[in-house]
Amino acid sequence: MNNTSVSNTYDKKLARRERVRKFLRTMFGRKVVIAAAVMLFIFIFIAVFASVLTPYDPNITSPYQAFEAPSSAHWLGCDEFGRDVLTRLFYGARVSLIVGVLAVIIACVIGVFLGLCAAYFGGVVDVIIMRCSEALMSIPRIMVSIALIVIIGSSITDLAIILAIPTIPGYIRMIRGQALSLKNSDYVKAAEMQGANSLYVMLTQILPNAISPIIVMMTQQVGTTILMESGLSYVGIGIKIPIASWGTMISNGKNYLITQPMLAIIPGICVALLVICLNVLGDGVRDAMDPRLRGEA
Amino acid sequence: MSLLLDINNIETCFRTEDRVLKILDGVTIQVKKGEIVGLVGESGSGKSVTMMSSIQLLSNSGKVTSGRVELDENGKNILEYKKNSDDMRKIRGGRIGMIFQEPMTSLNPVMPIGRQIQETIMEHIGLNKEEAKARAIEMMKLVNIPDAEERYDNYAQQFSGGMRQRIMIAMVLAAEPDVLIADEATTALDVTTQAQLLEMIKELSVKTGVAVVLVTHNLGIVARYADRIYVMYSGNVVETADTLTIFKDPQHPYTRGLLNAIPRLTDPEDRVLTPIDGLPPTPLARPTYCPFYERCNYCVPDCAEKPKPQLAEIGQGHFVACHLGRAEKDEKAKEIALKEGRSRPEKHISDEICLNVENVKKSFDIYKGLMQRKVGSFNAIEDISFNVRRGETLGIVGESGCGKTTLARCILRMYKPDGGKIELFGKDIASLGRSEMKPFRSQMSMVFQDPFSSLNPRMTAGDIVGQPLRIQKMTSSRAEYEKRVDELFRTVGMDPNQKDRYPHEFSGGQRQRLGIARALALKPNLLILDEPISALDVSIQAQVINLLEELQSSMGLAYLFIAHDLAVVKHISDRILVMYLGRVMEIADSSELYENPLHPYTKALLSSVPLVDPEKEIGREYIPMKGEVPSVMNRPKGCPFSDRCDHATEKCRSTIPELKDAGNGHMVSCFLYYER
């Protein structure tokens, strides 16, 4: 008896390790996903160790270096205030990643929860949640953000929250649509019949089957959010000058697009690369989460 | 008689991403003028692919790689025509017409049905518009569509499923084809509608001389309607003969196995079903020897050495693809009979009432318009009363829309009934709230119809089976939980080592076993089975039925067995309840009900069920039912069956008959039996 239970837990551990292995193997089954993961790792590494990687301070201006061309001292040259572009890029990664990822996570958690509630409970709950989200959607995103900045403030976390709020309705609508069709499936009925409470049914039965499009949506939203943040910075109400973010760098660089195109293009490439990485990774995670694609056998 | 359609030794392959699957492995089928040919086999056996191949209707990934298809023995292989060439299109539709299972997707929803028939006629016969319209109306009358002239301009969605299938037939026959292929054309329909439609097809075949190919998995249908039968297995025809011979003297072990696996209405009470073990080989792993070898209980080791057996004539028009001769098989049959000798598990029915339902009602509101205003309501079920004893099986039969599932959901308290009592061991649960219901949840559970949608695809088999234990916190430790889950796996005949697999890795039968294991997790007393086997293949059905019977015997479970297949219900039930339009028509012991049905509806229903025995079918009375099942929203005022009943009187139309005992516990709600 004792023996079997021991071998059982051993089997369990082995099985779990096996499952993790399969998960990773499916996720990284395509080479492009590996490339994306490496890329993302580099971005994160840069963001974390920005202060070690570069000898310069991102915010101290030195007017006599303005628009200096790339050299061995300043690999990507200097901007209009003579600040090292590469340094600002490194520190900007920090802000952009935090704002982008945090905003998406906040929006996703709130949106998914509300969407599940709307679909599962229906009736009055559904009406209230959906009408509110429609009201929010009917106001332009940028206006909502501006209004909120005035109320909340514009630190990095404030900004993440502010950028998250206008994207919540998207998550609500997407998960609600998925959940509505899943809610009447037999396995959900079965769980209800076994006496499961609503939260259990929503989280274990409906959510795992409805999550795939959400993951894809999240990865796309990171990019949009970073661009939104740059938009706000452009209007001058986003990240406070002189803190560097890719958004502020693009919007500053725009002024010199003809004479110094690299000032806007380089942070632009960074945003694009990050968004592509996240999209590809998102696809990988989605595939790996589906047992049918994982090829469990 | 001369051959009309000669499909000769065709092989069809399908290309998938990385390999080529040979779906048909040399199929030969011949259709003579004016006859009805049955093509039977389980899902995946290649029945439909055969017919599709013959008229080049395969999707782009499929290709007929060898063989010939000839019409009229004229020596012209029609497979040589290009897929979309004029010649091929003239044959397809013009000479060979095909109707499919789903009438809704086969008809154009945005074009009046009359116009669709008219177009077919103009295309294939070349009449002008007015003539074609007249002919279209004629065709609609031919397939018994009432008020054909008025309904000419109606759209497909204004017709019921049965009517749509009639329209499809009218459209196909309008082109005056010589062969009509009906690919599972009646599978999605109710028994009575199915019988109406097949009777009509048979009549049409006599009247117009059209040959019919009935492609189906239902042996009853071919027994009743076909002249000759082809039995297919894993891309091969394994046996063919005229209908009487196939059923009286089946020679292929697979045919014998099928016939032993299906329940029949005429079965004695102690009949045991013998399932065919295992699963058919996938086209990928089809062996070079006999494809049935692995599941065959007649096989000798030699069978695996020899190449695949070819069809050989053993009697007048009787071909079998089996290495063994008749004598060898008879010998073996005796051996098998001795070895098996299984008897039906014993029933232990106690007098204790497990479930008592009294006058249960449930109505649904109808909402309409932008504001979802309530515009009315209809009673899905009315005045349902019955009881189930411990260890007993009560079968509930009725056509779709009669309220079977609504009733099940009321009992399980997925719905709150509007009135009446539902007593579970004497305690009324009809009006309990969600949390008050929780302790009662462990006493009853449900097995669902669709084994694919009833298991959460993101959970492992072990998690699914153990879920009720986790929800109800029935086990105190992890070890105890694992032990119980293992035990449940073994109870339903599955290997606990498969716990970590996901539902999609199991076959339909195995999934249904998982569903049963989950239902048993909380040790319930009552199991509600909602069409638990109708999505499974014949040979697998028998496995599940036997499992259910064993479980009932060993655990003393009470079953509420909901199904539309009357033969299955008869086989498994002790008593049967017949429902029609949300009301109970009749309740009786199962043998009593089949031998002596009282209610006119029950009589008509029983006569619609084909018997799987052509000898008994000869001279059997078919009681045609008038019209169609009305919707519950316009249920007749009096007896719900009054507008379709031949015996209906004024009284029947104005007052609802009560359910009364007609002797021996045989309850019937019909005025015919009141005065006696």
Side-chain angles (χ1 to χ4, degrees):
Chain A
M1 177 60 238
N2 212 359
N3 246 334
T4 53
S5 89
V6 166
S7 79
N8 237 338
T9 51
Y10 177 68
D11 283 352
K12 264 260 98 64
K13 249 185 208 160
L14 247 176
R16 193 166 304 139
R17 205 178 305 156
E18 176 68 7
R19 229 178 291 169
V20 170
R21 211 170 58 83
K22 266 184 188 146
F23 186 95
L24 293 177
R25 202 172 54 199
T26 319
M27 182 169 163
F28 295 112
R30 290 178 303 150
K31 287 203 178 68
V32 59
V33 182
I34 300 176
V38 170
M39 204 67 199
L40 185 69
F41 180 77
I42 294 172
F43 277 125
I44 294 171
F45 182 83
I46 287 171
V48 173
F49 296 104
S51 51
V52 186
L53 290 172
T54 157
Y56 306 104
D57 186 290
N59 299 329
I60 292 176
T61 57
S62 39
Y64 61 91
Q65 282 181 341
F67 299 123
E68 206 180 273
S71 62
S72 57
H74 304 282
W75 290 1
L76 292 175
C78 294
D79 66 2
E80 72 270 31
F81 298 113
R83 298 172 293 197
D84 181 51
V85 171
L86 192 65
T87 305
R88 284 185 68 77
L89 216 51
F90 284 1
Y91 282 89
R94 195 180 277 182
V95 175
S96 292
L97 272 174
I98 290 174
V99 172
V101 173
L102 203 60
V104 164
I105 289 172
I106 293 169
C108 174
V109 170
I110 298 174
V112 164
F113 181 74
L114 288 178
L116 279 175
C117 287
Y120 187 69
F121 295 114
V124 186
V125 181
D126 186 31
V127 170
I128 293 173
I129 293 176
M130 290 319 287
R131 293 305 90 78
C132 289
S133 81
E134 277 156 21
L136 190 55
M137 279 171 82
S138 64
I139 313 168
R141 243 176 112 168
I142 196 92
M143 272 180 64
V144 178
S145 307
I146 292 172
L148 286 170
I149 284 175
V150 175
I151 302 167
I152 303 175
S154 60
S155 75
I156 289 178
T157 40
D158 290 343
L159 216 57
I161 295 167
I162 287 159
L163 290 170
I165 288 170
T167 61
I168 291 174
Y171 291 99
I172 294 181
R173 293 180 73 88
M174 180 160 276
I175 198 101
R176 178 175 172 271
Q178 293 272 317
L180 274 182
S181 62
L182 291 170
K183 140 179 137 159
N184 287 320
S185 58
D186 286 345
Y187 55 86
V188 173
K189 295 269 167 250
E192 284 170 358
M193 260 179 256
Q194 291 151 8
N197 61 36
S198 310
L199 198 66
Y200 179 91
V201 174
M202 283 195 289
L203 295 184
T204 66
Q205 308 294 313
I206 298 179
L207 184 60
N209 289 292
I211 200 78
S212 302
I214 293 293
I215 288 176
V216 177
M217 193 169 161
M218 278 173 78
T219 54
Q220 286 164 354
Q221 287 283 359
V222 173
T224 338
T225 310
I226 291 175
L227 295 178
M228 269 290 283
E229 175 262 318
S230 72
L232 286 179
S233 307
Y234 181 68
V235 193
I237 51 174
I239 294 294
K240 285 276 177 292
I241 294 173
I243 301 173
S245 83
W246 291 347
T248 47
M249 290 174 73
I250 296 173
S251 53
N252 287 344
K254 260 189 249 171
N255 303 332
Y256 312 100
L257 209 53
I258 307 291
T259 49
Q260 299 287 332
M262 280 303 150
L263 286 184
I265 289 175
I266 288 170
I269 289 174
C270 286
V271 173
L273 268 179
L274 179 65
V275 170
I276 291 169
C277 284
L278 287 165
N279 281 358
V280 171
L281 269 179
D283 281 356
V285 173
R286 182 200 56 196
D287 289 353
M289 278 179 68
D290 191 336
R292 277 157 292 199
L293 293 176
R294 219 182 302 161
E296 304 266 354
Chain B
M1 218 183 283
S2 64
L3 276 186
L4 190 58
L5 174 66
D6 184 5
I7 301 173
N8 196 343
N9 203 17
I10 54 169
E11 292 185 1
T12 298
C13 293
F14 277 81
R15 216 180 32 249
T16 62
E17 255 175 43
D18 46 355
R19 45 184 163 245
V20 175
L21 296 177
K22 197 191 232 181
I23 303 295
L24 296 185
D25 196 7
V27 174
T28 299
I29 283 169
Q30 296 173 330
V31 182
K32 294 181 198 135
K33 210 167 160 19
E35 73 172 346
I36 300 183
V37 172
L39 187 57
V40 287
E42 296 179 275
S43 52
S45 60
K47 324 179 278 286
S48 297
V49 176
T50 305
M51 298 327 291
M52 301 272 219
S53 300
S54 69
I55 51 175
Q56 297 198 37
L57 258 185
L58 295 170
S59 61
N60 284 334
S61 59
K63 199 167 185 280
V64 184
T65 48
S66 80
R68 298 173 63 79
V69 178
E70 260 177 53
L71 274 173
D72 308 322
E73 293 183 282
N74 62 4
K76 177 73 192 153
N77 182 5
I78 62 169
L79 291 177
E80 282 167 13
Y81 292 127
K82 280 248 169 56
K83 195 172 170 180
N84 288 321
S85 62
D86 284 347
D87 289 324
M88 197 62 224
R89 286 186 25 234
K90 256 183 211 132
I91 291 170
R92 203 191 298 138
R95 300 291 314 273
I96 304 173
M98 190 154 180
I99 46 177
F100 301 93
Q101 179 168 354
E102 275 301 325
M104 193 64 225
T105 50
S106 320
L107 287 168
N108 184 344
V110 294
M111 193 195 248
I113 52 106
R115 286 254 314 280
Q116 296 184 48
I117 304 176
Q118 189 186 0
E119 273 196 348
T120 320
I121 297 171
M122 286 158 66
E123 166 81 25
H124 284 289
I125 308 193
L127 296 178
N128 68 30
K129 238 179 169 172
E130 275 71 51
E131 287 167 339
K133 179 168 179 176
R135 176 117 176 91
I137 292 173
E138 207 178 294
M139 291 312 299
M140 286 168 71
K141 284 182 179 155
L142 185 72
V143 294
N144 302 328
I145 292 174
D147 313 321
E149 282 93 350
E150 285 101 86
R151 306 214 69 177
Y152 183 85
D153 289 320
N154 286 14
Y155 291 90
Q157 59 270 30
Q158 290 168 287
F159 292 87
S160 68
M163 280 294 160
R164 278 185 223 144
Q165 208 58 300
R166 282 168 195 267
I167 294 163
M168 274 309 298
I169 294 172
M171 194 186 302
V172 170
L173 290 186
E176 295 175 346
D178 298 309
V179 186
L180 171 70
I181 301 170
D183 187 355
E184 301 273 12
T186 58
T187 307
L189 305 172
D190 277 317
V191 254
T192 54
T193 321
Q194 173 176 303
Q196 282 177 344
L197 212 65
L198 289 166
E199 288 291 330
M200 189 195 77
I201 290 180
K202 189 157 191 170
E203 263 171 43
L204 287 176
S205 154
V206 174
K207 220 188 301 185
T208 62
V210 63
V212 181
V213 182
L214 291 175
V215 179
T216 177
H217 67 278
N218 186 330
L219 285 161
I221 289 179
V222 289
R224 188 164 179 165
Y225 297 101
D227 302 317
R228 227 148 41 77
I229 293 175
Y230 287 87
V231 181
M232 285 194 70
Y233 183 78
S234 185
N236 290 278
V237 172
V238 292
E239 184 164 10
T240 171
D242 61 89
T243 306
L244 268 177
T245 315
I246 284 271
F247 285 92
K248 221 172 124 190
D249 182 30
Q251 280 305 315
H252 197 281
Y254 176 63
T255 319
R256 289 189 183 187
L258 275 186
L259 291 173
N260 284 331
I262 43 170
R264 297 177 175 81
L265 274 185
T266 47
D267 280 341
E269 260 181 61
D270 56 351
R271 159 96 196 276
V272 188
L273 303 181
T274 321
I276 306 175
D277 293 328
L279 295 169
T282 63
L284 198 65
R286 190 184 294 137
T288 52
Y289 48 89
C290 175
F292 191 58
Y293 176 76
E294 260 81 32
R295 304 175 73 192
C296 183
N297 44 17
Y298 288 83
C299 66
V300 290
D302 219 21
C303 290
E305 308 288 319
K306 295 183 205 167
K308 186 186 88 176
Q310 296 298 320
L311 282 177
E313 187 159 16
I314 58 158
Q316 177 67 28
H318 188 174
F319 293 82
V320 178
C322 182
H323 293 304
L324 302 176
R326 184 184 289 269
E328 285 170 278
K329 264 180 288 199
D330 287 348
E331 192 96 334
K332 198 91 183 180
K334 274 184 214 141
E335 226 173 272
I336 294 166
L338 274 179
K339 198 162 53 188
E340 300 228 330
R342 216 169 16 167
S343 60
R344 260 183 107 157
E346 225 175 298
K347 291 238 176 194
H348 312 280
I349 303 177
S350 73
D351 287 335
E352 193 187 356
I353 303 278
C354 176
L355 173 74
N356 183 37
V357 174
E358 262 173 56
N359 299 320
V360 163
K361 283 191 198 69
K362 175 73 195 169
S363 68
F364 291 101
D365 296 336
I366 308 163
Y367 298 95
K368 243 191 184 154
L370 195 65
M371 300 307 290
Q372 292 291 298
R373 238 169 351 126
K374 186 179 160 185
V375 291
S377 70
F378 65 91
N379 290 337
I381 50 173
E382 284 183 335
D383 297 331
I384 307 272
S385 299
F386 63 88
N387 60 53
V388 189
R389 286 166 293 170
R390 195 189 265 276
E392 185 188 37
T393 304
L394 177 73
I396 298 184
V397 291
E399 298 174 89
S400 55
C402 75
K404 296 176 300 223
T405 304
T406 306
L407 175 62
R409 293 192 168 179
C410 281
I411 295 169
L412 284 158
R413 286 302 319 282
M414 310 275 301
Y415 296 148
K416 190 173 189 308
D418 297 332
K421 276 201 279 190
I422 298 172
E423 289 177 338
L424 203 59
F425 291 103
K427 279 179 225 89
D428 191 2
I429 57 165
S431 52
L432 296 184
R434 192 164 175 163
S435 53
E436 290 169 304
M437 260 314 284
K438 204 163 175 179
F440 293 96
R441 293 274 174 220
S442 61
Q443 292 189 25
M444 53 183 182
S445 56
M446 179 159 177
V447 176
F448 294 87
Q449 171 173 9
D450 184 357
F452 290 88
S453 76
S454 61
L455 306 179
N456 188 342
R458 298 285 169 117
M459 281 165 86
T460 62
D463 286 344
I464 289 170
V465 170
Q467 177 174 292
L469 299 172
R470 296 196 304 276
I471 291 173
Q472 294 274 354
K473 303 197 175 58
M474 293 291 278
T475 48
S476 49
S477 69
R478 184 85 201 171
E480 190 191 341
Y481 168 81
E482 296 289 343
K483 208 178 126 211
R484 177 87 182 107
V485 172
D486 288 0
E487 195 181 298
L488 285 166
F489 267 74
R490 281 186 214 105
T491 314
V492 296
M494 291 194 45
D495 182 1
N497 288 327
Q498 295 177 322
K499 270 198 299 192
D500 290 321
R501 297 200 183 177
Y502 285 87
H504 69 98
E505 296 167 57
F506 295 98
S507 68
Q510 287 175 315
R511 286 161 150 257
Q512 204 55 300
R513 281 170 195 268
L514 289 175
I516 295 170
R518 174 176 63 186
L520 292 175
L522 298 175
K523 300 189 179 147
N525 296 304
L526 172 69
L527 219 56
I528 295 174
L529 304 132
D530 190 359
E531 305 260 9
I533 57 163
S534 53
L536 305 174
D537 268 323
V538 183
S539 65
I540 313 295
Q541 282 189 357
Q543 295 173 7
V544 176
I545 293 176
N546 285 353
L547 172 70
L548 287 171
E549 286 183 339
E550 280 157 28
L551 291 173
Q552 180 168 51
S553 170
S554 63
M555 305 169 98
L557 295 165
Y559 286 161
L560 205 60
F561 192 96
I562 300 171
H564 66 273
D565 185 335
L566 284 93
V568 171
V569 175
K570 154 97 195 307
H571 179 85
I572 200 167
S573 308
D574 302 300
R575 284 189 303 141
I576 293 173
L577 182 156
V578 182
M579 275 179 86
Y580 181 75
L581 285 186
R583 296 192 72 93
V584 179
M585 296 284 109
E586 192 164 0
I587 306 179
D589 286 346
S590 62
S591 50
E592 163 80 8
L593 187 88
Y594 281 88
E595 277 153 27
N596 181 25
L598 295 179
H599 201 285
Y601 173 68
T602 317
K603 285 181 186 170
L605 194 64
L606 285 174
S607 82
S608 310
V609 182
L611 282 184
V612 207
D613 191 341
E615 275 184 315
K616 290 202 175 114
E617 282 290 355
I618 298 169
R620 182 172 171 231
E621 193 193 4
Y622 164 62
I623 309 170
M625 239 191 274
K626 286 190 287 188
E628 303 218 309
V629 187
S631 136
V632 272
M633 281 178 238
N634 40 34
R635 180 190 290 134
K637 205 171 128 238
C639 170
F641 192 57
S642 58
D643 60 343
R644 301 175 74 191
C645 182
D646 286 332
H647 307 283
T649 60
E650 243 352 277
K651 194 180 172 193
C652 295
R653 293 196 184 90
S654 57
T655 32
I656 300 174
E658 277 173 56
L659 190 64
K660 282 193 176 163
D661 198 333
N664 287 330
H666 192 144
M667 312 274 281
V668 61
S669 54
C670 181
F671 288 121
L672 282 177
Y673 305 95
Y674 268 25
E675 280 75 39
R676 284 168 214 178

